[in-house]
Amino acid sequence: MNEIETFKKWVAESENIVFFGGAGVSTESGIPDFRSKDGLYNQHDVQFDAFTPEYLLSHSCLRDHPNVFYEFYRQKMDCRDIAPNITHKKLADMEEKGKLSAIVTQNIDGLHQKAGSVKVYELHGTTLKNYCTNCGTTYAADYIFENTDPIPKCGCGGTIRPDVVLYEEGLDDATVSGAIRAISAADMIIIGGTSLAVYPAAGLLQYFHGKHMVLINKSATPMDKDADLVLQCGLGEVFSQIEI
């Protein structure tokens, strides 16, 4: 039995699967990842060359250089017209059929929900929501991306910011708690499209005590040695063969 056949067999046998995903889940939809040679962090733009990519998506940049932050965010983080790919769709099917209990994602693009997934823990927030830092009023994604003001303002005078966890900011406690509960209860966890280099998100995997840990990623990760099965390939290649 080859590796993908083993994976399919484990999926068929499992009753409580959790999927833990990163940027590689969405690259097949055309969204660049962050750290690969073609990733967001290696795209040179003279407009932003004075700053590191990490700084451009940091709390410090939002606070100290808001004009730069919003210009970079509008240019690089707009995912509204991106369509889900086969992996997003298969995961939604798995949830609908009762095989998959939750998705824990490091992505902020909202493509899992667009594909039909319901139980999604977005560790790093989402570009599809915004809120006022003063009064808490919420705004749709369009508000920042289509607002012509350099710094979008609420009617109360507060700044409207994306509901995204920036560098230097902590994860949402309720989201982390929900993700830990889901991972702890799973009998199978599928880790896909992530280098497992970002903490504290990657640290949540320590709560898995189920039967099968499968890691699908094009390159090696620090957790390969701990996985029961490692598939070094694209997610679409694997999930296109899954029948639920």
Side-chain angles (χ1 to χ4, degrees):
M1 184 181 297
N2 65 36
E3 292 175 333
I4 291 183
E5 288 302 317
T6 298
F7 174 68
K8 291 166 64 177
K9 179 176 182 292
W10 289 354
V11 168
E13 293 173 350
S14 300
E15 298 178 351
N16 187 349
I17 301 172
V18 166
F19 180 83
F20 182 97
V25 179
S26 294
T27 52
E28 292 179 23
S29 288
I31 298 177
D33 63 11
F34 288 87
R35 293 174 175 79
S36 71
K37 64 182 179 66
D38 298 316
L40 186 65
Y41 289 178
N42 292 308
Q43 296 178 5
H44 296 292
D45 188 324
V46 66
Q47 184 179 7
F48 306 114
D49 278 352
F51 306 95
T52 65
E54 288 87 353
Y55 180 77
L56 289 164
L57 290 173
S58 71
H59 180 83
S60 293
C61 186
L62 175 62
R63 180 191 63 212
D64 300 333
H65 297 93
N67 289 54
V68 174
F69 173 86
Y70 283 103
E71 184 61 28
F72 182 82
Y73 184 82
R74 287 178 173 123
Q75 287 190 30
K76 304 295 187 180
M77 309 306 289
D78 188 355
C79 305
R80 293 173 298 165
D81 294 331
I82 304 295
N85 59 52
I86 186 65
T87 301
H88 297 109
K89 294 173 182 176
K90 288 288 186 176
L91 289 168
D93 287 344
M94 290 169 67
E95 181 182 22
E96 184 181 7
K97 300 289 174 37
K99 298 290 290 184
L100 183 133
S101 59
I103 291 170
V104 180
T105 180
Q106 299 172 78
N107 295 341
I108 58 176
D109 50 44
L111 291 182
H112 285 297
Q113 291 91 330
K114 190 178 287 188
S117 293
V118 177
K119 199 69 170 182
V120 183
Y121 294 102
E122 296 173 302
L123 296 175
H124 297 150
T126 176
T127 61
L128 302 185
K129 298 177 184 176
N130 307 289
Y131 66 92
C132 172
T133 57
N134 183 48
C135 71
T137 299
T138 57
Y139 292 81
D142 294 345
Y143 194 88
I144 285 182
F145 291 120
E146 297 182 4
N147 193 297
T148 57
D149 296 329
I151 303 172
K153 295 291 185 179
C154 177
C156 76
T159 299
I160 298 168
R161 60 158 287 175
D163 193 8
V164 170
V165 178
L166 304 175
Y167 285 102
E168 305 163 349
E169 296 179 338
L171 304 185
D172 176 72
D173 287 342
T175 302
V176 170
S177 296
I180 289 173
R181 285 194 301 271
I183 291 170
S184 299
D187 59 5
M188 178 177 182
I189 190 164
I190 304 168
I191 305 163
T194 173
S195 62
L196 296 175
V198 176
Y199 281 79
L204 299 183
L205 296 174
Q206 67 181 301
Y207 293 98
F208 176 70
H209 303 292
K211 189 174 182 181
H212 301 302
M213 175 184 285
V214 178
L215 212 160
I216 309 169
N217 198 54
K218 289 184 177 180
S219 58
T221 80
M223 286 198 67
D224 285 6
K225 64 184 184 302
D226 301 312
D228 300 300
L229 180 65
V230 176
L231 301 171
Q232 285 198 349
C233 57
L235 284 159
E237 180 183 342
V238 177
F239 276 90
S240 62
Q241 300 184 53
I242 298 298
E243 296 180 6
I244 306 301

